[in-house]
Amino acid sequence: ARDILQKECKPIIDNMMGLDDKVHKAYYRSIVNLAKSKGDFEGFYEAAMSVLTFIDADEQLSAEWCHDLIMSALLSRKVYSFAKLLNYQPVILEPLGKQGYNWLWDLIEAFNCGDVEKASNLLTKNQHAVLLQHGKHLQEKLSLMALAVSVFEFVALRGIRDIPLDDLAGKLNFKNAGEAERLLLKAFAYDILSGKIDGLNNRVHIDNVQPRHLSMDQIAELQTSFEVWRDQIDQMIVYVRENAPATVAL
């Protein structure tokens, strides 16, 4: 049924000019309901995020719907970036709080930041049956998110793209570089990271990190990194002016 909706109905809706947003919202809600009935976390998350783009400013979402959205993000085997979801905090957090589910928002933020200790404490404290059932998957996902954050810090904040595997293992509290290498291979497979492992020199070269939702602390660190870079450029300009005034005009 979901395939029929997507293959036959979606092109019709997309090609109809001036269609009311309520029609788009109803279409995606129907896919959400179908995905939920089938236990399709990926399908639920994708359709639910589309619903959010069409909600009215004063529309109230149900706590159950928001709960299911967070669950689908955590349990999906294809969702490793929570940037879009975190942008909807105002419309999701309030309904969750009314039913005592605000800890789920804290959990998704902990996953986004790769905060293993905080996420583990929240999972242990709240003992959610479905999350406990998928404990192995969540542990792997949390490790991958921690890896992504660590690599981001090396690349964006320190300007290091060739990262020693021992340094990465140390940052992630792994026993050895082999654990970091195995996790990197999974991150490459899931398109969380792209790069190449240099086994001979025990390093990894990072080409790209999946776009992320940055916390305020990460933004502050990035700002500091930019300021250092700017100061270095200013120093270089001064050096060139002082040492090559006849050949370079700045």
Side-chain angles (χ1 to χ4, degrees):
R2 180 186 165 204
D3 290 340
I4 293 175
L5 278 171
Q6 291 182 320
K7 292 179 181 179
E8 298 184 11
C9 298
K10 191 174 188 302
I12 296 174
I13 293 175
D14 289 343
N15 290 328
M16 294 181 69
M17 301 296 293
L19 204 59
D20 193 289
D21 285 351
K22 293 180 180 179
V23 177
H24 290 281
K25 186 167 57 177
Y27 164 74
Y28 286 113
R29 279 191 179 278
S30 65
I31 295 181
V32 165
N33 293 334
L34 281 171
K36 182 176 180 178
S37 68
K38 295 170 61 179
D40 178 3
F41 300 123
E42 289 82 13
F44 186 103
Y45 181 79
E46 182 180 346
M49 293 306 298
S50 295
V51 169
L52 290 175
T53 64
F54 293 106
I55 62 172
D56 299 325
D58 58 347
E59 185 172 349
Q60 294 292 315
L61 298 171
S62 72
E64 180 185 2
W65 195 89
C66 294
H67 165 276
D68 292 345
L69 173 57
I70 300 293
M71 295 291 286
S72 69
L74 290 170
L75 299 179
S76 169
R77 297 187 180 274
K78 294 183 179 179
V79 178
Y80 289 94
S81 173
F82 306 114
K84 291 182 180 179
L85 176 60
L86 290 170
N87 286 334
Y88 288 99
Q89 177 181 357
V91 296
I92 296 175
L93 186 55
E94 184 177 352
L96 286 175
K98 290 179 179 178
Q99 295 297 322
Y101 286 135
N102 52 306
W103 66 271
L104 278 175
W105 189 262
D106 295 336
L107 183 60
I108 206 76
E109 286 187 329
F111 266 74
N112 180 70
C113 294
D115 191 332
V116 176
E117 182 178 0
K118 181 179 179 180
S120 298
N121 288 339
L122 285 167
L123 288 168
T124 300
K125 179 180 178 180
N126 291 281
Q127 294 290 302
H128 192 290
V130 177
L131 294 179
L132 290 174
Q133 183 182 348
H134 293 83
K136 184 176 180 180
H137 162 69
L138 288 173
Q139 190 61 48
E140 178 185 273
K141 191 169 204 170
L142 183 55
S143 296
L144 286 165
M145 298 307 296
L147 172 65
V149 171
S150 296
V151 169
F152 172 83
E153 291 174 354
F154 273 107
V155 174
L157 302 182
R158 298 167 59 182
I160 301 174
R161 288 189 176 272
D162 291 302
I163 308 171
L165 293 179
D166 288 331
D167 290 357
L168 201 54
K171 195 169 182 60
L172 295 168
N173 295 318
F174 288 165
K175 295 179 181 178
N176 52 59
E179 290 187 33
E181 184 174 352
R182 286 190 290 273
L183 193 62
L184 279 165
L185 291 173
K186 289 184 179 180
F188 292 161
Y190 296 151
D191 292 327
I192 302 171
L193 305 171
S194 64
K196 182 181 295 184
I197 295 175
D198 180 357
L200 184 63
N201 295 302
N202 207 34
R203 308 172 78 86
V204 59
H205 176 79
I206 299 297
D207 294 321
N208 187 52
V209 182
Q210 189 180 73
R212 306 189 44 72
H213 185 283
L214 302 182
S215 67
M216 293 306 296
D217 288 341
Q218 289 172 322
I219 291 173
E221 289 182 38
L222 195 58
Q223 181 182 2
T224 300
S225 180
F226 280 133
E227 289 173 351
V228 170
W229 175 78
R230 182 194 61 193
D231 291 343
Q232 291 173 341
I233 295 297
D234 289 343
Q235 291 172 14
M236 180 60 69
I237 291 174
V238 171
Y239 175 83
V240 171
R241 283 175 172 169
E242 292 178 348
N243 291 276
T247 57
V248 179
L250 295 176

